[in-house]
Amino acid sequence: MTVVLGPNRYGKAETRVVRVTRDGEVHHLKDCTVGVSLSGDMREAHTVGDNAAVLPTDTQKNTVYAFAGEHGIGQIEDFALLLARHFTESQPTIHHARVQIEEHSWERQGPHSFVRSGTETRTCVVHHDRDGTSTVVSGLRDLVLLNTTGSEFHGFVRDEYTTLAPATDRVLATAVTARWRHAPRGAAPPDYGKSYEEARRSLLEAFAGTHSLSLQQTLYAMGSRVLAAREEICEVRLVLPNKHHFLVDLTPFGQANDDEVYHAADRPYGLIEGTVLHDDAPPAGFAWE
């Protein structure tokens, strides 16, 4: 039996970079965490410890800072593409680059004053091959949503272990992780900023506007709304934890609870995952993770 090296990659994780752009008295802020993973002709680095093909991870970190200084950081997708193309085009041993960026949101309070806005994080992952092929996946995580009504759950399978009562009116809450893959139909690259804003708006509108018979139904409605709104998006993947809210029994205190007081349970929770895509969407050609 022969032992061989399988798929592998290496890189620099969680490089935090903050870029301030000073436009007179008005300053603009970009706060990002960047992860780089490279793969290519790395067999001898693993098998005999020959590092001739290895671009140090410290160099990858320095490249992030240098590019932030030289080019600035506009849309995170464009910055990720810039980095990925650099690594594959400048190093003959690097055949594929994966760049992941999380953007931490700050809300303007004045010309040069900001406050960190919530837990929601904008994300992107770019894959770029040495042949010039790029794939861009945009998204967000920790978008916390809640409907106080308009949600049901009944007609489900019951067995000897089922204790859940059917619900015709319940609180529906989740913390959305959404990722969407771009497949531009024209020569011009997408406006990633506008695409993100409208995809996010579509998620919010679908969640608020869907009378939900299950969280699965809501997931499909959210993904479908994004695809209908943005022609450059061909596939949407959603992860929706069901943040359960249980009515509190107030009878020990001589009170009725007319669907007003709830306990928000953090675990265990239902976890609903799914993909919504165009039937002619081109194959991704990579692992989304």
Side-chain angles (χ1 to χ4, degrees):
M1 181 181 297
T2 303
V3 175
V4 297
L5 178 68
N8 61 88
R9 64 186 184 188
Y10 79 106
K12 200 68 163 182
E14 298 194 34
T15 297
R16 188 68 175 266
V17 55
V18 177
R19 176 57 149 91
V20 178
T21 301
R22 303 176 186 273
D23 184 12
E25 292 186 358
V26 178
H27 296 175
H28 306 275
L29 184 67
K30 282 283 186 174
D31 181 357
C32 299
T33 299
V34 181
V36 176
S37 294
L38 306 178
S39 55
D41 186 12
M42 301 292 159
R43 188 180 66 83
E44 291 190 355
H46 290 82
T47 58
V48 298
D50 183 347
N51 295 320
V54 177
L55 181 71
T57 66
D58 189 67
T59 303
Q60 298 171 36
K61 174 203 69 179
N62 291 342
T63 304
V64 172
Y65 291 138
F67 274 43
E70 180 180 359
H71 303 284
I73 304 176
Q75 301 301 323
I76 56 174
E77 292 87 352
D78 291 321
F79 190 62
L81 280 166
L82 189 68
L83 288 167
R85 288 167 179 157
H86 165 77
F87 289 123
T88 58
E89 293 171 5
S90 65
Q91 301 299 325
T93 58
I94 305 300
H95 302 162
H96 181 88
R98 176 188 183 274
V99 179
Q100 173 180 326
I101 301 181
E102 297 182 349
E103 180 177 349
H104 314 291
S105 180
W106 293 84
E107 182 180 341
R108 181 178 297 281
Q109 297 296 300
H112 51 264
S113 182
F114 302 85
V115 61
R116 183 69 180 270
S117 52
T119 59
E120 180 187 342
T121 302
R122 179 176 172 179
T123 65
C124 82
V125 177
V126 164
H127 289 262
H128 184 76
D129 287 319
R130 202 163 178 205
D131 64 5
T133 304
S134 296
T135 305
V136 179
V137 175
S138 302
L140 53 81
R141 62 176 173 81
D142 297 328
L143 174 63
V144 181
L145 304 176
L146 184 148
N147 286 336
T148 56
T149 190
S151 174
E152 307 179 31
F153 187 60
H154 49 78
F156 46 82
V157 173
R158 304 190 69 88
D159 66 9
E160 64 270 32
Y161 303 111
T162 302
T163 60
L164 184 68
T168 57
D169 189 12
R170 65 174 183 169
V171 171
L172 183 65
T174 189
V176 178
T177 295
R179 296 174 293 169
W180 48 90
R181 180 162 59 96
H182 295 270
R185 300 179 185 273
D191 180 337
Y192 291 111
K194 183 176 181 181
S195 182
Y196 176 83
E197 290 173 3
E198 295 199 12
R200 182 182 184 277
R201 175 179 55 78
S202 296
L203 294 171
L204 296 175
E205 290 176 351
F207 182 85
T210 300
H211 185 97
S212 179
L213 300 179
S214 66
L215 193 49
Q216 287 90 336
Q217 179 196 8
T218 301
L219 179 151
Y220 185 77
M222 294 170 75
S224 298
R225 182 73 66 94
V226 172
L227 293 176
R230 302 302 304 177
E231 67 174 7
E232 77 276 9
I233 296 173
C234 66
E235 181 177 0
V236 183
R237 296 191 180 187
L238 289 155
V239 178
L240 304 181
N242 194 346
K243 300 294 189 180
H244 301 299
H245 286 63
F246 299 111
L247 281 169
V248 177
D249 181 8
L250 298 180
T251 56
F253 319 117
Q255 301 179 35
N257 189 355
D258 188 18
D259 296 340
E260 293 177 331
V261 181
Y262 297 85
H263 165 63
D266 65 345
R267 64 195 64 182
Y269 54 85
L271 186 62
I272 313 303
E273 303 176 80
T275 302
V276 185
L277 70 164
H278 290 303
D279 58 4
D280 61 348
F286 66 95
W288 281 47
E289 291 72 21

